[in-house]
């Protein structure tokens, strides 16, 4: 492949970063407050709770499934952990720093439930997770009395309340996810099942096992999100992460993860997360009304789909041999 | 190459398969000797695919026994078939289009190396081995193992599927309609691949409607009709014309 093709391919594969830099620069021009490096640092920090949810959705998409329940799962974990830690004496004797494991284990468990429905019972992923969306939503309000929980120990809140531990936690988790997806057999199988589940099955890769594990990971990532949201706000609120599923899809699609499965880079998903935060932050600073912002985000998702389709066509043209 | 003097590698004895009230396979005896190339023919619905799926782990016989290398076996899954040394190359070739050639060749069996206590995929080894299997072993000319498989021609994709059989040292390879929808050069390549399997002492069962393509390179022909075996002859005992006539009846 000649050099001009290589360079074009590089840009096509990493378009999200080009767009991110472009949009960020646009906001810098429109609003000098953006120029501050500290502002960027805080932007990264603010994007982490949603970032976990975007990662959760991205890994599902890579495997060729969906998880519509990500937001509600996060909310249920946050609220239930809150009630169990603060309002019951269940974890009275447990050292505070171990309490952070509770939302993670709960997220793993709820993810396993999704995984059971799609992996073992072979239900349609869209319908199954639509169902669990509703179940988790109801359970969240019913089981926890739907009122905000305060009074968490400081150690529990640190992941979310303080920028550095939060950012470190995110990149550590991301690092593990990156390793899993790009260096292990499991990761290779996620991509192959996402791209062609029948072919994979014919060659001995059990798609039901992959789906189950992917939902497990998705649930656990939502557990991290629950921890981050709680720390961020200093409390567990019943509305936390409620509408995030749409942004989760948007972030992953913007980053080039294919809706059909089997294609996309987890590194680029970081770009998608930052892009959402940049736009959110930029529009806030420009005092754009909330409703207008919704319109803009919707338009953005549509534009993202168009750009990605064009991008994939261009990539095909470049890669076609001879 | 037929090795008829030796014991059969595969022996299917009095195999019956019922799907509810439909009998797909009716009391079939089927043998394959080591290194032999068997052509399995018959009309649609004759039971060829069903018979073969009992060897790849998809179905189990309703009655009858399967012996492999002299031992009675029960093949319950793809992994089970593989462990025995049986590999099936499907009509659809089981290719993941957006994965690279190397990843396709090694799908499900990616080689790993230890990274402390963790096993990571040895992608360098994957590329080297798939390159040599596909280009040197099968005479293809795919320049980069990172190329996405969907950009490969039909013959090249078939080569990728067959490279799997060459790399993993199978004893029996089943090819279901390997020349389907291929160009003339693609068909030629597949013929060379099958000859290569024979040269390496790997037995093969070829299911095809293209008698003229496979007849020249096979050792024996078995024909099924409506679930029963109607023919089982060495190539020397029946001409292509006679074979076609038998099937037309």
């Amino acid at each position: 492949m000649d050099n001009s093709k290589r360079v074009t391919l590089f840009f096509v594969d990493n378009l999200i970063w080009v767009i991110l830099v472009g949009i960020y620069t646009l906001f810098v021009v429109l609003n000098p407050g953006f120029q501050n490096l500290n502002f960027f640092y805080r932007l990264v920090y603010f994007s982490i709770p949603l970032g976990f949810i975007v990662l959760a959705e991205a890994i599902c998409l890579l495997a060729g499934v969906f998880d519509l329940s990500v937001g509600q799962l996060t909310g249920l974990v946050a609220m239930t952990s809150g009630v169990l830690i603060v309002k019951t004496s269940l974890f009275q004797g447990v050292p505070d720093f171990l309490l952070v494991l509770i939302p993670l284990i709960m997220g793993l468990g709820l993810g396993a439930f999704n995984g059971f429905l799609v992996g073992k019972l072979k239900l349609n992923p869209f319908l199954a997770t639509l169902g669990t969306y509703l179940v988790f939503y109801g359970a969240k309000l019913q089981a926890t009395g739907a009122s905000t929980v305060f009074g968490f120990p400081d150690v529990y809140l640190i992941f979310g309340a303080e920028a550095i531990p939060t950012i470190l936690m995110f990149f550590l988790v991301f690092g593990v996810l990156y390793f899993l997806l790009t260096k292990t057999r499991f990761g290779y199988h996620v991509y192959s099942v996402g791209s062609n589940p029948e072919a994979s099955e014919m060659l001995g890769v059990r798609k039901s096992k992959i789906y189950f594990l992917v939902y497990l990971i998705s649930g656990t990532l939502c557990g991290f999100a629950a921890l981050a949201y709680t720390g961020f706000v200093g409390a567990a609120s019943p509305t936390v992460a409620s509408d995030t599923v749409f942004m989760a899809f948007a972030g992953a699609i913007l980053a080039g993860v294919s809706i059909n499965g089997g294609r996309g880079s987890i590194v680029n998903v970081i770009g998608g997360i930052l892009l959402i935060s940049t736009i959110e932050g930029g529009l806030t600073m420009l005092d754009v009304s909330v409703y207008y912002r919704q319109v803009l985000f919707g338009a953005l998702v549509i534009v993202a789909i168009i750009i990605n389709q064009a991008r994939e066509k261009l990539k095909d043209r470049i890669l076609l041999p001879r | 190459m037929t090795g008829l003097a030796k014991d059969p590698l595969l022996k299917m004895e009095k195999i019956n398969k019922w799907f509810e009230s439909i009998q797909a396979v009716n009391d079939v005896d089927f043998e394959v000797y080591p290194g032999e190339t068997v052509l399995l023919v018959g009309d649609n619905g004759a039971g060829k695919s069903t018979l073969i799926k009992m060897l790849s782990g998809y179905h189990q016989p309703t009655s009858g026994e399967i012996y492999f290398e002299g031992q009675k076996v029960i093949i319950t899954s793809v992994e089970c078939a593989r462990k025995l040394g049986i590999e099936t190359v499907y009509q659809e070739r089981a290719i993941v289009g957006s994965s690279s050639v190397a990843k396709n060749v090694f799908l499900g069996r990616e080689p790993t190396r230890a990274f402390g206590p963790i096993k990571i995929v040895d992608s360098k080894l994957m590329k080297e081995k798939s390159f040599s299997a596909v280009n040197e072993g099968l005479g293809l000319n795919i320049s980069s193992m990172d190329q996405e498989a969907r950009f490969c021609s039909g013959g090249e994709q078939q080569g990728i599927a067959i490279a799997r059989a060459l790399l993993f040292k199978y004893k029996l390879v089943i090819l279901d309609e390997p020349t389907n929808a291929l160009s003339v050069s693609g068909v030629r390549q597949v013929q060379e691949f099958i000859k290569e399997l024979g040269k390496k002492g790997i037995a093969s069962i070829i299911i095809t409607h293209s008698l003229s393509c496979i007849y020249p390179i096979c050792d024996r022909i078995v024909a099924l009709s409506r679930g029963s075996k109607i023919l089982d002859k060495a190539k020397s005992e029946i001409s292509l014309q006679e074979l076609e006539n038998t099937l037309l009846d």
Side-chain angles (χ1 to χ4, degrees):
Chain A
M1 196 191 294
D2 60 35
N3 279 324
S4 74
K5 268 193 175 179
R6 260 187 241 270
V7 172
T8 318
L9 188 63
F10 180 78
F11 275 112
V12 164
D13 274 339
N14 295 295
L15 191 63
I16 181 65
W17 302 102
V18 175
I19 296 175
L20 176 65
V21 169
I23 303 272
Y24 198 90
T25 311
L26 177 71
F27 281 122
V28 165
V29 166
L30 290 176
N31 192 324
F34 257 68
Q35 273 169 21
N36 195 333
L37 199 65
N38 195 44
F39 178 80
F40 180 73
Y41 171 70
R42 297 201 78 71
L43 191 93
V44 171
Y45 164 47
F46 284 12
S47 55
I48 284 168
L50 178 64
F52 277 115
I53 301 182
V54 179
L55 282 180
E57 194 63 59
I59 193 175
C60 290
L61 286 171
L62 287 175
V65 292
F66 305 113
D67 189 353
L68 297 179
S69 71
V70 281
Q72 298 307 331
L73 201 158
T74 304
L76 176 60
V77 167
M79 285 299 288
T80 314
S81 303
V83 165
L84 290 176
I85 292 170
V86 176
K87 299 231 157 114
T88 69
S89 53
L90 209 66
F91 299 106
Q92 224 35 274
V94 177
D96 284 351
F97 68 93
L98 283 181
L99 294 173
V100 300
L101 292 177
I102 296 168
L104 304 184
I105 294 170
M106 213 177 283
L108 183 87
L110 294 174
F113 182 62
N114 276 330
F116 175 73
L117 295 179
V118 178
K120 185 82 187 175
L121 297 185
K122 305 196 198 303
L123 301 181
N124 175 290
F126 186 93
L127 298 175
T129 58
L130 182 63
T132 53
Y133 173 107
L134 298 168
V135 167
F136 295 157
Y137 181 56
K140 174 178 76 177
L141 300 176
Q142 175 65 33
T144 64
S147 55
T148 308
V149 179
F150 296 93
F152 289 93
D154 285 338
V155 179
Y156 186 88
L157 295 176
I158 214 171
F159 295 106
E162 305 258 327
I164 294 181
T166 312
I167 294 174
L168 274 177
M169 171 175 75
F170 182 81
F171 281 103
L172 202 70
V173 171
F174 173 78
V176 171
L177 198 64
Y178 175 79
F179 180 79
L180 274 177
L181 284 172
T182 58
K183 303 275 182 253
T184 64
R185 267 193 184 171
F186 167 71
Y188 276 51
H189 294 171
V190 165
Y191 277 93
S192 71
V193 167
S195 180
N196 192 336
E198 288 78 32
S200 305
E201 195 79 42
M202 280 185 214
L203 289 162
V205 175
R206 292 233 182 88
K207 65 182 184 204
S208 54
K209 180 173 148 197
I210 297 295
Y211 293 154
F212 182 79
L213 290 172
V214 158
Y215 279 108
L216 264 190
I217 294 174
S218 172
T220 311
L221 287 168
C222 289
F224 277 102
L227 194 61
Y229 273 113
T230 309
F232 213 74
V233 177
S237 142
T239 58
V240 82
S242 260
D243 290 325
T244 49
V245 60
F246 307 109
M247 281 300 122
F249 271 99
I253 302 296
L254 278 171
V257 174
S258 170
I259 197 92
N260 298 314
R263 303 178 97 182
S265 150
I266 201 78
V267 174
N268 285 1
V269 173
I270 305 277
I273 296 167
L274 289 175
L275 183 61
I276 292 178
S277 294
T278 303
I279 294 171
E280 179 79 22
L283 294 179
T284 309
M285 286 199 98
L286 292 175
D287 251 335
V288 175
S289 87
V290 180
Y291 304 116
Y292 200 50
R293 255 188 266 168
Q294 293 268 75
V295 173
L296 282 175
F297 262 113
L300 179 72
V301 173
I302 295 171
V303 169
I305 296 168
I306 297 172
I307 290 178
N308 269 304
Q309 272 180 228
R311 192 183 63 85
E312 295 204 356
K313 275 211 189 103
L314 179 60
K315 184 168 173 175
D316 280 359
R317 276 225 309 272
I318 297 172
L319 287 179
L320 199 66
R322 288 175 237 106
Chain B
M1 205 163 299
T2 55
L4 276 163
K6 299 188 219 157
D7 289 323
L9 174 68
L10 169 76
K11 190 172 151 96
M12 294 175 91
E13 204 171 70
K14 293 212 174 346
I15 298 287
N16 279 286
K17 180 66 181 173
W18 289 84
F19 290 110
E20 288 176 358
S21 56
I22 298 171
Q23 187 167 26
V25 178
N26 186 358
D27 232 27
V28 169
D29 290 326
F30 182 64
E31 282 157 9
V32 178
Y33 288 83
E36 196 183 26
T37 302
V38 174
L39 171 57
L40 180 60
V41 295
D43 259 338
N44 294 326
K48 316 185 292 292
S49 279
T50 311
L51 191 70
I52 252 49
K53 280 181 178 155
M54 290 190 260
L55 293 174
S56 48
Y58 255 52
H59 296 313
Q60 266 76 60
T62 312
S63 69
E65 313 289 350
I66 302 178
Y67 296 88
F68 196 75
E69 293 186 305
Q71 306 281 348
K72 187 162 114 167
V73 293
I74 300 174
I75 307 170
T76 50
S77 66
V78 172
E79 290 82 36
C80 192
R82 275 209 190 135
K83 278 209 190 95
L84 289 171
I86 304 174
E87 168 87 333
T88 307
V89 179
Y90 295 93
Q91 226 173 339
E92 312 81 32
R93 300 184 199 116
I95 294 281
V96 177
S98 57
S99 282
S100 70
V101 172
K103 284 184 187 172
N104 267 287
V105 171
F106 280 92
L107 184 53
R109 303 170 263 205
E110 297 81 4
T112 55
R113 56 189 168 90
F115 187 67
I118 308 167
K119 286 207 206 120
I120 61 169
V121 173
D122 195 339
S123 57
K124 186 158 165 250
L125 186 68
M126 267 172 65
K127 282 187 225 180
E128 284 167 5
K129 285 198 146 179
S130 54
F131 187 90
S132 85
V134 151
N135 290 326
E136 292 151 29
L138 297 174
L140 285 169
N141 201 6
I142 303 177
S143 52
S144 166
M145 293 295 103
D146 283 329
Q147 178 178 307
E148 285 183 27
R150 63 200 167 102
F151 296 124
C152 294
S153 70
E156 287 170 340
Q157 288 189 358
Q158 193 65 268
I160 293 172
I162 295 177
R164 291 171 184 150
L166 285 179
L167 273 172
F168 296 105
K169 302 199 177 10
Y170 286 93
K171 300 178 181 139
L172 172 64
V173 176
I174 304 165
L175 294 133
D176 193 349
E177 299 290 357
T179 59
N180 213 10
L182 289 186
S183 64
V184 171
S185 63
V187 169
R188 194 65 66 82
Q189 269 168 343
V190 170
Q191 288 171 325
E192 292 305 313
F193 299 157
I194 295 170
K195 282 194 218 164
E196 195 61 40
L197 289 175
K199 275 190 214 150
K200 288 192 152 61
I202 301 173
S204 56
I205 303 171
I206 324 282
I207 301 178
T208 187
H209 288 288
S210 309
L211 301 181
S212 50
C213 291
I214 307 297
Y215 177 86
I217 54 173
C218 76
D219 299 312
R220 187 155 60 88
I221 300 117
V222 171
L224 300 182
S225 175
R226 284 192 259 264
S228 303
K229 186 163 79 171
I230 58 168
L231 188 104
D232 189 340
K233 289 206 164 126
K235 185 166 80 178
S236 51
E237 294 169 356
I238 181 168
S239 73
L240 178 59
Q241 186 74 29
E242 284 166 347
L243 176 61
E244 282 171 356
N245 290 340
T246 313
L247 291 173
L248 279 169
D249 293 333

